[in-house]
Amino acid sequence: MSLYNADELTAPSWIDGEFLQKVLGQYENKGDVEILTYDMSPASMKGDHYASIMFRCKVNYRQTNTGRRILKKSLIIKTLPVEDGHKREMLMQSKLFETEIDMYAETLPKIEKILAGCGEPTKLSAGLIYHSLDPHKIIIFEDLCELGYDTVRSRFLTENEIKAVYSKLAKLHAVSYMLGNSENHALVTKYQEGIFSTSMPLADEMMRSGINNFIDMLSCYEEFDVYYEKIKLMKDKLSRLCKDLYRSYTLNNGKGDIFVLNHGDFHMKNMMFKFDKKQQMEDVMMVDYQISCYAPSNIDLVYSQFMMLSPELRLRRHELMQYYFTEFIRILRKINYQGELPLYSQFQMAGLKYRHFTVFLVATFLPMVVGIIGKPLEELKDVDTDKMFENPDMIAMIYRAPAFVEEARKILPILLREGYLD
């Protein structure tokens, strides 16, 4: 079987030479464009993402009014599946594309400008080439691979690489924290969707099935009895309290938490890395801002603990959180934030305040990381990841995998001691 998702093997028929001529004509803004040749291929591999289909399009073209020189461009095209089904239905009723277009077109460039102005020049995203919501939802970016970036596969990030990732996240968070407490707060506070929004019913489905599968797994091991009882008591409140985390800016009138613009889906598959010739990381670029939301910073940070850290680094998560927070405060000072600086104790207390989100991630996303995302590519060849997400029996099997049970043995005693299972 293929290493690519089935719905990304063939691009939609409307992405043709005429469409590309329109896109590049607008992008070049120098007159008519003639498309000479173009080649379409999948832009991602199995397990990389779910909420879209993506293609790489290599185009040869020329501008008809500026000579005969042939130009080359590699485009990353992100759009909706063509065939009707669960995935297309979910994407049609969500605001994922609206959020991402707004992030790339307006908010991220302004945050980059503020960082550059204080001596911290930072690229937060790939260049935006084209976007539209009608007649098709579509976003086209520059191809980061052409700039030397690539995904990291079949291994976890090292400690230094993780710290580089947190340094860049701290910049996004710090500037958005300042903006959220300014007259221009709407630039960031308008993002109130997130994974638990009303337009994303998939999260509710995942939570229901995930927590049930997790509790079933715990019930099979006598050593997990104490966690089984604790999580059963938390189960009925889980959905409401996770939604309260995402809506807390509105619910609490912007008070009582460290509110930032969260990336919202902060895991390794949503990052591209650039390495030098000695394989030392030079830069990391975040991609896929579809569920970005203005909410407590716990969303990105707790998400990363269970979706990005290796099992070994996860045991040192508080040490890494302090590293992130130190960078967060450094940037706030660098951009001359005039308000009272947040305290690390506030950040730590928020983790317990919103502890149900940690339980949600352990019960719902961590099994996928261990059972799917963490697998080598060769092992994914025979797995249809789209069907797996829609097949309750296939997902239930992941919870019984020895690797996930072992991970539960490591993390659950720690969460119990720290009060996350109350």
Side-chain angles (χ1 to χ4, degrees):
M1 291 182 66
S2 174
L3 287 173
Y4 306 104
N5 294 311
D7 56 6
E8 294 177 321
L9 295 176
T10 304
S13 59
W14 54 268
I15 303 178
D16 55 15
E18 183 179 348
F19 174 75
L20 294 172
Q21 182 175 326
K22 172 187 172 182
V23 167
L24 289 172
Q26 288 185 17
Y27 176 71
E28 294 290 357
N29 196 28
K30 295 177 181 177
D32 293 335
V33 165
E34 179 187 1
I35 303 298
L36 302 175
T37 61
Y38 66 93
D39 179 65
M40 302 283 291
S41 61
S44 60
M45 295 185 179
K46 281 184 176 178
D48 281 1
H49 68 102
Y50 182 74
S52 61
I53 55 174
M54 295 178 65
F55 302 91
R56 173 173 282 105
C57 182
K58 292 185 177 292
V59 189
N60 292 323
Y61 65 102
R62 60 189 168 204
Q63 296 168 342
T64 55
N65 63 343
T66 58
R68 311 301 292 172
R69 184 166 64 92
I70 295 177
L71 303 172
K72 297 182 179 182
K73 196 79 176 173
S74 184
L75 312 173
I76 299 298
I77 301 175
K78 189 173 190 177
T79 187
L80 300 184
V82 175
E83 294 185 10
D84 291 335
H86 185 274
K87 185 173 175 179
R88 178 177 171 82
E89 181 183 352
M90 184 272 289
L91 292 173
M92 285 294 290
Q93 63 186 346
S94 76
K95 295 182 180 180
L96 297 176
F97 276 78
E98 288 83 346
T99 294
E100 188 159 34
I101 287 171
D102 202 63
M103 283 287 291
Y104 275 89
E106 182 180 11
T107 303
L108 292 174
K110 289 184 178 178
I111 292 176
E112 289 177 353
K113 186 176 181 180
I114 291 171
L115 288 167
C118 74
E120 291 280 342
T122 305
K123 189 70 176 166
L124 292 171
S125 65
L128 180 64
I129 290 176
Y130 176 86
H131 61 84
S132 179
L133 296 172
D134 185 55
H136 305 283
K137 290 187 176 185
I138 183 170
I139 312 176
I140 301 180
F141 311 100
E142 66 180 339
D143 187 351
L144 288 175
C145 290
E146 295 291 305
L147 302 177
Y149 291 82
D150 205 350
T151 51
V152 170
R153 302 184 185 280
S154 303
R155 73 168 177 89
F156 288 104
L157 299 180
T158 67
E159 180 178 345
N160 286 337
E161 291 167 350
I162 288 289
K163 287 181 175 179
V165 169
Y166 282 141
S167 291
K168 178 155 281 194
L169 181 69
K171 294 178 181 181
L172 169 66
H173 282 186
V175 177
S176 64
Y177 180 85
M178 181 188 73
L179 289 170
N181 289 283
S182 74
E183 294 178 353
N184 300 318
H185 66 86
L187 180 68
V188 291
T189 59
K190 64 184 173 182
Y191 297 104
Q192 291 294 315
E193 279 291 303
I195 195 173
F196 282 103
S197 68
T198 54
S199 68
M200 283 282 287
L202 180 64
D204 282 330
E205 296 173 24
M206 289 177 64
M207 177 173 286
R208 279 193 297 271
S209 62
I211 196 67
N212 286 333
N213 284 327
F214 190 58
I215 289 174
D216 286 345
M217 183 277 287
L218 295 176
S219 70
C220 296
Y221 298 87
E222 187 176 344
E223 64 184 292
F224 290 158
D225 283 352
V226 62
Y227 316 122
Y228 171 79
E229 296 298 335
K230 290 273 189 182
I231 292 174
K232 264 181 55 177
L233 290 173
M234 299 177 80
K235 176 184 173 182
D236 292 339
K237 298 180 180 179
L238 211 61
S239 178
R240 176 178 63 83
L241 292 175
C242 284
K243 289 178 180 178
D244 284 352
L245 164 62
Y246 279 77
R247 297 181 301 176
S248 57
Y249 179 77
T250 301
L251 292 174
N252 302 323
N253 296 313
K255 306 296 182 184
D257 286 304
I258 301 172
F259 292 104
V260 302
L261 182 56
N262 289 272
H263 175 278
D265 198 12
F266 196 63
H267 61 81
M268 206 166 76
K269 299 290 185 178
N270 281 338
M271 297 175 200
M272 301 280 286
F273 301 89
K274 190 174 186 178
F275 295 91
D276 63 20
K277 292 180 180 179
K278 296 182 179 179
Q279 289 304 298
Q280 298 298 308
M281 185 193 293
E282 293 183 335
D283 191 26
V284 56
M285 194 79 75
M286 292 176 278
V287 300
D288 200 350
Y289 286 89
Q290 289 186 316
I291 51 176
S292 296
C293 58
Y294 192 75
S297 56
N298 304 72
I299 290 177
D300 276 349
L301 276 301
V302 178
Y303 208 96
S304 71
Q305 292 172 20
F306 297 99
M307 297 286 285
M308 185 171 67
L309 298 185
S310 67
E312 294 76 23
L313 287 179
R314 192 174 296 124
L315 299 179
R316 296 169 52 198
R317 71 192 197 286
H318 292 305
E319 176 187 337
L320 293 168
M321 293 302 97
Q322 191 168 42
Y323 175 85
Y324 152 82
F325 197 81
T326 301
E327 285 290 290
F328 175 68
I329 296 298
R330 182 183 72 83
I331 297 297
L332 280 177
R333 289 193 172 113
K334 194 101 182 258
I335 60 179
N336 198 28
Y337 174 64
Q338 296 297 305
E340 185 177 351
L341 292 172
L343 300 174
Y344 184 59
S345 56
Q346 291 176 273
F347 174 76
Q348 287 288 76
M349 287 187 287
L352 285 171
K353 177 182 177 182
Y354 297 113
R355 61 192 177 278
H356 290 75
F357 185 59
T358 295
V359 173
F360 162 70
L361 291 172
V362 170
T364 305
F365 283 13
L366 186 58
M368 303 299 172
V369 173
V370 175
I372 300 176
I373 298 175
K375 284 185 176 293
L377 280 176
E378 286 301 313
E379 293 185 27
L380 284 175
K381 288 179 67 174
D382 298 324
V383 177
D384 189 328
T385 51
D386 282 355
K387 288 184 178 178
M388 177 172 284
F389 280 120
E390 298 167 15
N391 187 324
D393 293 333
M394 291 178 72
I395 291 178
M397 291 174 60
I398 296 173
Y399 286 77
R400 304 301 175 91
F404 177 63
V405 174
E406 184 58 33
E407 189 61 30
R409 286 193 178 101
K410 293 177 183 177
I411 198 66
L412 288 174
I414 296 172
L415 296 181
L416 179 68
R417 287 196 301 271
E418 294 179 352
Y420 282 82
L421 303 186
D422 284 353

